[in-house]
Amino acid sequence: MPHLTESQFTQRFTSLVLGGPGLPKKPLDRHVLFISAILKLEPARQYSENELNDKLREWTAPFGAKFGLDHVTLRRYLVDEKYIKRDAAGLTYALETTDLPYTFDRSIEALDLEQLIAEARSEREKRKQQYMKDAKQ
């Protein structure tokens, strides 16, 4: 099973969020998004559908529109891709902890994704300003 380092995750996530719209075509990039969406879920907890929807809305509010994902579509992807398991009755959901499609550095869980994007935007703006300054000379 493939493994994502914090550096790989950070680079891909910021590129995806700051890049073009729509769900990425490359499997790795889709999995980076899915992993980013599950980071705030508690591993040992059983979630009702409403509780899970609330948690997923926390991700879709800042990032979902960019990728055409609402909380319901995201939940379906996470179940289909085996990041979240649903009980047979479809009443409770839990984070998959043993057989993830991609493993990742646990340090990723501590990342503030919104801060990460703010810093990446700031860095891009600085590079743009420097480029404009250099072009005028």
mmCIF file of all heavy atoms in Angstrom, residues 101-123:
data_model
loop_
_atom_site.group_PDB
_atom_site.id
_atom_site.type_symbol
_atom_site.label_atom_id
_atom_site.label_comp_id
_atom_site.label_asym_id
_atom_site.label_seq_id
_atom_site.Cartn_x
_atom_site.Cartn_y
_atom_site.Cartn_z
ATOM 1 N N PRO A 101 -6.357 2.629 1.811
ATOM 2 C CA PRO A 101 -5.751 2.537 0.476
ATOM 3 C C PRO A 101 -4.362 3.192 0.413
ATOM 4 O O PRO A 101 -3.500 2.747 -0.325
ATOM 5 C CB PRO A 101 -6.721 3.281 -0.428
ATOM 6 C CG PRO A 101 -7.943 3.522 0.365
ATOM 7 C CD PRO A 101 -7.607 3.353 1.801
ATOM 8 N N TYR A 102 -4.178 4.274 1.179
ATOM 9 C CA TYR A 102 -2.892 4.966 1.295
ATOM 10 C C TYR A 102 -2.630 5.158 2.779
ATOM 11 O O TYR A 102 -3.517 5.566 3.516
ATOM 12 C CB TYR A 102 -2.925 6.350 0.640
ATOM 13 C CG TYR A 102 -2.746 6.351 -0.847
ATOM 14 C CD1 TYR A 102 -3.754 5.880 -1.696
ATOM 15 C CD2 TYR A 102 -1.583 6.823 -1.427
ATOM 16 C CE1 TYR A 102 -3.595 5.890 -3.070
ATOM 17 C CE2 TYR A 102 -1.417 6.838 -2.801
ATOM 18 C CZ TYR A 102 -2.434 6.367 -3.620
ATOM 19 O OH TYR A 102 -2.263 6.380 -4.975
ATOM 20 N N THR A 103 -1.416 4.887 3.196
ATOM 21 C CA THR A 103 -1.030 5.232 4.553
ATOM 22 C C THR A 103 -0.353 6.598 4.503
ATOM 23 O O THR A 103 0.032 7.066 3.431
ATOM 24 C CB THR A 103 -0.081 4.175 5.156
ATOM 25 O OG1 THR A 103 1.089 4.083 4.335
ATOM 26 C CG2 THR A 103 -0.771 2.826 5.271
ATOM 27 N N PHE A 104 -0.209 7.221 5.657
ATOM 28 C CA PHE A 104 0.388 8.555 5.683
ATOM 29 C C PHE A 104 1.063 8.807 7.013
ATOM 30 O O PHE A 104 0.718 8.198 8.028
ATOM 31 C CB PHE A 104 -0.663 9.628 5.387
ATOM 32 C CG PHE A 104 -1.883 9.575 6.267
ATOM 33 C CD1 PHE A 104 -1.942 10.299 7.442
ATOM 34 C CD2 PHE A 104 -2.976 8.795 5.907
ATOM 35 C CE1 PHE A 104 -3.062 10.253 8.245
ATOM 36 C CE2 PHE A 104 -4.112 8.746 6.700
ATOM 37 C CZ PHE A 104 -4.156 9.481 7.882
ATOM 38 N N ASP A 105 2.030 9.714 6.989
ATOM 39 C CA ASP A 105 2.718 10.120 8.211
ATOM 40 C C ASP A 105 1.700 10.677 9.192
ATOM 41 O O ASP A 105 0.865 11.506 8.818
ATOM 42 C CB ASP A 105 3.765 11.205 7.922
ATOM 43 C CG ASP A 105 4.982 10.701 7.175
ATOM 44 O OD1 ASP A 105 5.124 9.474 7.019
ATOM 45 O OD2 ASP A 105 5.791 11.555 6.741
ATOM 46 N N ARG A 106 1.777 10.251 10.429
ATOM 47 C CA ARG A 106 0.832 10.723 11.446
ATOM 48 C C ARG A 106 0.996 12.217 11.719
ATOM 49 O O ARG A 106 0.072 12.860 12.211
ATOM 50 C CB ARG A 106 0.989 9.928 12.743
ATOM 51 C CG ARG A 106 0.502 8.507 12.594
ATOM 52 C CD ARG A 106 -0.991 8.488 12.357
ATOM 53 N NE ARG A 106 -1.411 7.211 11.807
ATOM 54 C CZ ARG A 106 -2.498 7.020 11.105
ATOM 55 N NH1 ARG A 106 -3.318 8.000 10.846
ATOM 56 N NH2 ARG A 106 -2.807 5.839 10.647
ATOM 57 N N SER A 107 2.126 12.794 11.379
ATOM 58 C CA SER A 107 2.332 14.234 11.568
ATOM 59 C C SER A 107 1.356 15.051 10.725
ATOM 60 O O SER A 107 1.063 16.207 11.051
ATOM 61 C CB SER A 107 3.773 14.620 11.239
ATOM 62 O OG SER A 107 4.077 14.293 9.896
ATOM 63 N N ILE A 108 0.813 14.456 9.673
ATOM 64 C CA ILE A 108 -0.159 15.137 8.809
ATOM 65 C C ILE A 108 -1.416 15.489 9.612
ATOM 66 O O ILE A 108 -2.054 16.510 9.353
ATOM 67 C CB ILE A 108 -0.492 14.267 7.575
ATOM 68 C CG1 ILE A 108 0.727 14.168 6.665
ATOM 69 C CG2 ILE A 108 -1.695 14.801 6.817
ATOM 70 C CD1 ILE A 108 0.593 13.167 5.534
ATOM 71 N N GLU A 109 -1.753 14.670 10.595
ATOM 72 C CA GLU A 109 -2.958 14.898 11.392
ATOM 73 C C GLU A 109 -2.910 16.228 12.141
ATOM 74 O O GLU A 109 -3.954 16.794 12.464
ATOM 75 C CB GLU A 109 -3.173 13.752 12.376
ATOM 76 C CG GLU A 109 -3.492 12.447 11.689
ATOM 77 C CD GLU A 109 -3.491 11.258 12.633
ATOM 78 O OE1 GLU A 109 -3.019 11.381 13.791
ATOM 79 O OE2 GLU A 109 -3.979 10.200 12.211
ATOM 80 N N ALA A 110 -1.724 16.726 12.422
ATOM 81 C CA ALA A 110 -1.574 17.970 13.182
ATOM 82 C C ALA A 110 -1.592 19.213 12.292
ATOM 83 O O ALA A 110 -1.607 20.337 12.804
ATOM 84 C CB ALA A 110 -0.279 17.941 13.989
ATOM 85 N N LEU A 111 -1.612 19.049 10.988
ATOM 86 C CA LEU A 111 -1.579 20.192 10.088
ATOM 87 C C LEU A 111 -2.874 20.991 10.155
ATOM 88 O O LEU A 111 -3.967 20.428 10.215
ATOM 89 C CB LEU A 111 -1.358 19.735 8.646
ATOM 90 C CG LEU A 111 -0.025 19.098 8.310
ATOM 91 C CD1 LEU A 111 -0.033 18.577 6.879
ATOM 92 C CD2 LEU A 111 1.111 20.089 8.516
ATOM 93 N N ASP A 112 -2.747 22.297 10.119
ATOM 94 C CA ASP A 112 -3.896 23.191 9.987
ATOM 95 C C ASP A 112 -4.017 23.473 8.489
ATOM 96 O O ASP A 112 -3.248 24.268 7.934
ATOM 97 C CB ASP A 112 -3.655 24.468 10.787
ATOM 98 C CG ASP A 112 -4.799 25.459 10.698
ATOM 99 O OD1 ASP A 112 -5.566 25.431 9.706
ATOM 100 O OD2 ASP A 112 -4.927 26.281 11.615
ATOM 101 N N LEU A 113 -4.958 22.820 7.840
ATOM 102 C CA LEU A 113 -5.054 22.894 6.379
ATOM 103 C C LEU A 113 -5.348 24.302 5.875
ATOM 104 O O LEU A 113 -4.789 24.727 4.866
ATOM 105 C CB LEU A 113 -6.105 21.916 5.872
ATOM 106 C CG LEU A 113 -5.836 20.439 6.173
ATOM 107 C CD1 LEU A 113 -6.972 19.577 5.632
ATOM 108 C CD2 LEU A 113 -4.500 19.995 5.604
ATOM 109 N N GLU A 114 -6.205 25.015 6.575
ATOM 110 C CA GLU A 114 -6.515 26.379 6.144
ATOM 111 C C GLU A 114 -5.298 27.288 6.279
ATOM 112 O O GLU A 114 -5.038 28.120 5.407
ATOM 113 C CB GLU A 114 -7.709 26.921 6.915
ATOM 114 C CG GLU A 114 -8.998 26.192 6.517
ATOM 115 C CD GLU A 114 -10.228 26.741 7.186
ATOM 116 O OE1 GLU A 114 -10.579 27.896 6.889
ATOM 117 O OE2 GLU A 114 -10.823 26.021 8.005
ATOM 118 N N GLN A 115 -4.523 27.118 7.340
ATOM 119 C CA GLN A 115 -3.294 27.891 7.525
ATOM 120 C C GLN A 115 -2.267 27.521 6.456
ATOM 121 O O GLN A 115 -1.578 28.377 5.914
ATOM 122 C CB GLN A 115 -2.715 27.663 8.930
ATOM 123 C CG GLN A 115 -1.434 28.418 9.198
ATOM 124 C CD GLN A 115 -1.637 29.924 9.187
ATOM 125 O OE1 GLN A 115 -2.696 30.421 9.537
ATOM 126 N NE2 GLN A 115 -0.622 30.655 8.783
ATOM 127 N N LEU A 116 -2.199 26.245 6.145
ATOM 128 C CA LEU A 116 -1.291 25.764 5.104
ATOM 129 C C LEU A 116 -1.592 26.451 3.770
ATOM 130 O O LEU A 116 -0.679 26.918 3.077
ATOM 131 C CB LEU A 116 -1.451 24.248 4.977
ATOM 132 C CG LEU A 116 -0.483 23.490 4.112
ATOM 133 C CD1 LEU A 116 0.901 23.495 4.728
ATOM 134 C CD2 LEU A 116 -0.983 22.065 3.933
ATOM 135 N N ILE A 117 -2.855 26.549 3.435
ATOM 136 C CA ILE A 117 -3.257 27.193 2.176
ATOM 137 C C ILE A 117 -2.987 28.692 2.233
ATOM 138 O O ILE A 117 -2.506 29.278 1.254
ATOM 139 C CB ILE A 117 -4.738 26.904 1.863
ATOM 140 C CG1 ILE A 117 -4.944 25.407 1.627
ATOM 141 C CG2 ILE A 117 -5.231 27.722 0.670
ATOM 142 C CD1 ILE A 117 -4.057 24.794 0.552
ATOM 143 N N ALA A 118 -3.256 29.320 3.357
ATOM 144 C CA ALA A 118 -2.985 30.756 3.499
ATOM 145 C C ALA A 118 -1.498 31.046 3.299
ATOM 146 O O ALA A 118 -1.126 32.006 2.607
ATOM 147 C CB ALA A 118 -3.455 31.255 4.862
ATOM 148 N N GLU A 119 -0.651 30.217 3.890
ATOM 149 C CA GLU A 119 0.794 30.399 3.731
ATOM 150 C C GLU A 119 1.229 30.165 2.290
ATOM 151 O O GLU A 119 2.080 30.895 1.770
ATOM 152 C CB GLU A 119 1.543 29.461 4.674
ATOM 153 C CG GLU A 119 1.406 29.840 6.133
ATOM 154 C CD GLU A 119 1.926 28.775 7.089
ATOM 155 O OE1 GLU A 119 2.428 27.716 6.621
ATOM 156 O OE2 GLU A 119 1.818 28.992 8.309
ATOM 157 N N ALA A 120 0.669 29.166 1.634
ATOM 158 C CA ALA A 120 1.017 28.884 0.233
ATOM 159 C C ALA A 120 0.574 30.035 -0.672
ATOM 160 O O ALA A 120 1.312 30.423 -1.585
ATOM 161 C CB ALA A 120 0.382 27.572 -0.215
ATOM 162 N N ARG A 121 -0.593 30.597 -0.404
ATOM 163 C CA ARG A 121 -1.068 31.751 -1.192
ATOM 164 C C ARG A 121 -0.135 32.939 -0.996
ATOM 165 O O ARG A 121 0.203 33.633 -1.959
ATOM 166 C CB ARG A 121 -2.486 32.137 -0.783
ATOM 167 C CG ARG A 121 -3.545 31.307 -1.411
ATOM 168 C CD ARG A 121 -4.941 31.911 -1.205
ATOM 169 N NE ARG A 121 -5.902 31.107 -1.914
ATOM 170 C CZ ARG A 121 -6.840 30.376 -1.345
ATOM 171 N NH1 ARG A 121 -6.972 30.373 -0.034
ATOM 172 N NH2 ARG A 121 -7.669 29.664 -2.080
ATOM 173 N N SER A 122 0.252 33.173 0.244
ATOM 174 C CA SER A 122 1.151 34.278 0.552
ATOM 175 C C SER A 122 2.495 34.096 -0.163
ATOM 176 O O SER A 122 3.031 35.042 -0.739
ATOM 177 C CB SER A 122 1.356 34.370 2.060
ATOM 178 O OG SER A 122 2.283 35.362 2.375
ATOM 179 N N GLU A 123 3.017 32.878 -0.132
ATOM 180 C CA GLU A 123 4.292 32.590 -0.794
ATOM 181 C C GLU A 123 4.184 32.790 -2.302
ATOM 182 O O GLU A 123 5.082 33.361 -2.926
ATOM 183 C CB GLU A 123 4.737 31.169 -0.466
ATOM 184 C CG GLU A 123 6.083 30.793 -1.048
ATOM 185 C CD GLU A 123 7.220 31.695 -0.604
ATOM 186 O OE1 GLU A 123 7.214 32.167 0.548
ATOM 187 O OE2 GLU A 123 8.128 31.942 -1.420
#
